[in-house]
Amino acid sequence: MSLTVYRKAHFNAAHRLYKEEWSNEKNALIFGKCSNPNYHGHNYDLEVGVTGEIDEETGFLIDLKILKKVIYEEVEVPFDHKNLNLEVEAFKTVNPTVENIAIEIYNRIVKRLDSRFDISVKLYETPRNFVVYTG
Ligand code: NI
């Protein structure tokens, strides 16, 4: 038997999608409004899933206080109210698309939790656009 526990979180962040080697016109064509040279913000909604076996002694799959702390330290502190391109090391070289942000969040969380868990990251960039990354 396995079960998944979820924890939701939220952060606001600014970004710009662009490739330096492309002209402003080509960037605007490919990335649309997300290529605005002056950056813009999104309200990101995050759902982190932790799948595994329930601990028979406690009845917990994972202590949610621990998951809350990991998400706070690895995602909310470094990303909330930040410019992702300028203030998050990973996005100085990688375009901060919702895909790449989800992968970065996954990598940060996986390294903090026991390897017996399977992690999933669902990240909404808008209420209708979201990605799921499971490694
Ligand atoms: Ni955008």
Side-chain angles (χ1 to χ4, degrees):
M1 187 198 71
S2 88
L3 181 140
T4 304
V5 166
Y6 290 91
R7 168 89 192 166
K8 288 185 177 180
H10 178 82
F11 59 94
N12 303 316
H15 77 166
R16 181 193 179 196
L17 302 183
Y18 72 108
K19 286 180 78 79
E20 217 171 294
E21 59 269 35
W22 290 355
S23 66
N24 279 344
E25 291 70 28
K26 183 164 182 186
N27 273 302
L29 187 68
I30 303 295
F31 296 119
K33 284 181 181 173
C34 277
S35 191
N36 174 11
N38 294 321
Y39 304 96
H40 62 280
H42 290 282
N43 297 313
Y44 292 93
D45 275 312
L46 173 65
E47 292 176 25
V48 176
V50 180
T51 302
E53 303 287 330
I54 297 174
D55 182 319
E56 284 185 14
E57 206 169 40
T58 60
F60 287 160
L61 184 144
I62 183 171
D63 184 339
L64 277 164
K65 286 195 301 293
I66 294 171
L67 185 58
K68 177 184 176 181
K69 182 170 189 283
V70 167
I71 294 171
Y72 178 74
E73 291 175 0
E74 296 294 337
V75 182
E76 291 170 63
V77 170
F79 292 6
D80 190 36
H81 286 73
K82 297 292 165 59
N83 180 312
L84 298 177
N85 300 73
L86 302 179
E87 295 177 272
V88 177
E89 197 58 41
F91 302 123
K92 289 181 179 169
T93 50
V94 171
N95 232 354
T97 58
V98 65
E99 293 90 334
N100 285 330
I101 300 167
I103 292 169
E104 175 66 15
I105 290 171
Y106 175 93
N107 290 338
R108 285 165 176 252
I109 290 172
V110 155
K111 73 173 197 290
R112 293 283 304 272
L113 298 179
D114 196 299
S115 61
R116 72 176 186 274
F117 296 127
D118 289 320
I119 309 303
S120 69
V121 167
K122 183 188 280 189
L123 183 65
Y124 288 79
E125 190 170 66
T126 72
R128 293 180 186 183
N129 295 345
F130 60 96
V131 303
V132 177
Y133 184 65
T134 57

